[in-house]
Amino acid sequence: MTSSDLFRSLVSEITGVTPRVAEVSSHAAEAATPKRADDAPADDPVRIIRREELAKSRGTLTRVDYQQRLRSGEWRDQRREVYDNGDSAVLLPYNRARQTVLLTRQIRLPPFLKEHAPALLEACAGKLDDEAAEVRIVKEAEEELGLRVTAPERLFSLYMTPAAVAEKITFFLCDYTPADRLTSGGGLAEEGEFIDILEVELDTAAGMVRSGEIQDAKTVILIQVLLARYGDGSALASTAGSPGVSAPPSSEA
C-alpha cells in the first residue's frame, strides 16, 4: 500500500468519505512534470521543457518553459504565458450598389477597462466552436446581423497577437442586399450579446479608421481589402467622421 492509499484509508475510516487527494495530486504532478528537452527533433529551433496550466475557463492560460536555439547554436532558456481561447472567423458584408458595409457595435470589456472606451465598431465575428470557419461565419452573420449569407469569400487566416495568444482568425467578405436581411439580428441574449448594427459607407468607414473611431484590427484589415478592390485609397487620408452612418435597411427596403 502506498502512502497516498494509506492516507485515503485513514481519512475514510474517520469521516466515512473517501477523498480524491491521490487523483488530484497525481494530475498536478503529471501536469508539472518536465518533458525531456531532447524529445524535440534535432533541427527544431524550440525545445519544450515544461507546460503548466495556470487557469482554465472560457480559455486556457498556460505557462511554458522552453529552450530556443540562437544563431550561435547556443540554447537559451525562455518562459512565456500563452492564452488559447479558440480560433475565430470574421466577416465584412459589402453592398456594391450602395457602397456600404455592415458593422456591429458592442461593449468590449478589455478596452473599457483599459481606456474606459465606449462600444467598439467591429465586423461580425465569432468563435468556431469546433466547426469549419465557413459554416460558423454563416451562423454568426444571421445571429449578429440578421443576414443571410450563402457564399462567403474566404481571404486568409491570421494570428493577431502571436506573442501571447494562440487564436487564429479566418477572414471573409460577402456581398449583401437589403433582401438578405432575415431578422433584426443583435446577437444572442443568452450569450450576453447586445449588439447594434450600423450600415456605413465604405469611404466613411475608412475615415473612421483614420480618426480612431474604428480601433478593431480585424475590421481595419477587411476595410483595407475592400478599399484595395473598390476604393481609390483617398478615404484613409481623410479625417471624415460619421455622416455616412445609418441603420441598415430592412428587407422591405
Side-chain angles (χ1 to χ4, degrees):
M1 177 180 291
T2 66
S3 58
S4 60
D5 289 337
L6 178 60
F7 175 78
R8 285 159 55 90
S9 177
L10 290 173
V11 172
S12 180
E13 289 181 9
I14 295 171
T15 65
V17 177
T18 302
R20 300 181 61 189
V21 174
E23 289 85 351
V24 173
S25 300
S26 174
H27 174 74
E30 180 181 351
T33 300
K35 294 184 64 178
R36 287 169 52 86
D38 57 2
D39 285 348
D43 60 347
D44 199 329
V46 172
R47 302 191 298 199
I48 303 301
I49 305 301
R50 169 188 169 116
R51 291 184 177 91
E52 182 181 356
E53 185 178 288
L54 301 179
K56 186 170 184 178
S57 183
R58 297 187 69 174
T60 301
L61 181 64
T62 303
R63 181 162 57 211
V64 181
D65 294 319
Y66 64 100
Q67 293 179 329
Q68 183 173 352
R69 183 173 20 221
L70 307 182
R71 292 188 181 92
S72 64
E74 174 191 0
W75 289 94
R76 178 70 55 83
D77 290 336
Q78 303 274 18
R79 169 176 284 184
R80 295 288 186 273
E81 292 180 2
V82 178
Y83 184 61
D84 187 353
N85 62 338
D87 293 337
S88 303
V90 59
L91 169 77
L92 187 59
Y94 180 63
N95 184 305
R96 301 190 196 194
R98 298 164 62 90
Q99 298 182 0
T100 56
V101 295
L102 290 180
L103 296 175
T104 67
R105 181 170 59 195
Q106 58 185 312
I107 293 290
R108 292 300 197 185
L109 187 59
F112 181 84
L113 294 176
K114 186 178 180 67
E115 302 177 337
H116 206 75
L120 260 62
L121 289 169
E122 304 176 46
C124 167
K127 293 297 178 185
L128 299 187
D129 295 332
D130 298 322
E131 292 188 285
E134 286 81 0
V135 173
R136 186 65 240 171
I137 200 60
V138 168
K139 295 179 181 179
E140 289 292 337
E142 184 169 347
E143 292 173 4
E144 294 192 1
L145 303 173
L147 192 70
R148 175 180 56 224
V149 175
T150 57
E153 177 192 355
R154 183 173 183 145
L155 300 176
F156 37 69
S157 296
L158 302 174
Y159 291 103
M160 300 299 289
T161 315
V165 180
E167 178 186 32
K168 198 170 190 177
I169 302 177
T170 301
F171 288 72
F172 293 91
L173 294 173
C174 75
D175 293 329
Y176 80 94
T177 68
D180 294 321
R181 293 295 306 285
L182 301 177
T183 69
S184 59
L188 301 178
E190 60 267 27
E191 294 184 4
E193 296 178 330
F194 305 98
I195 299 171
D196 296 324
I197 306 164
L198 299 176
E199 185 173 58
V200 183
E201 294 177 2
L202 178 58
D203 283 351
T204 300
M208 294 167 78
V209 173
R210 180 66 178 83
S211 67
E213 290 177 79
I214 294 178
Q215 300 188 50
D216 176 64
K218 59 187 183 294
T219 306
V220 173
I221 290 171
L222 288 171
I223 289 172
Q224 291 272 32
V225 172
L226 284 176
L227 284 174
R229 289 187 181 183
Y230 306 114
D232 59 11
S234 62
L236 278 177
S238 168
T239 56
S242 310
V245 178
S246 63
S250 67
S251 58
E252 289 80 15

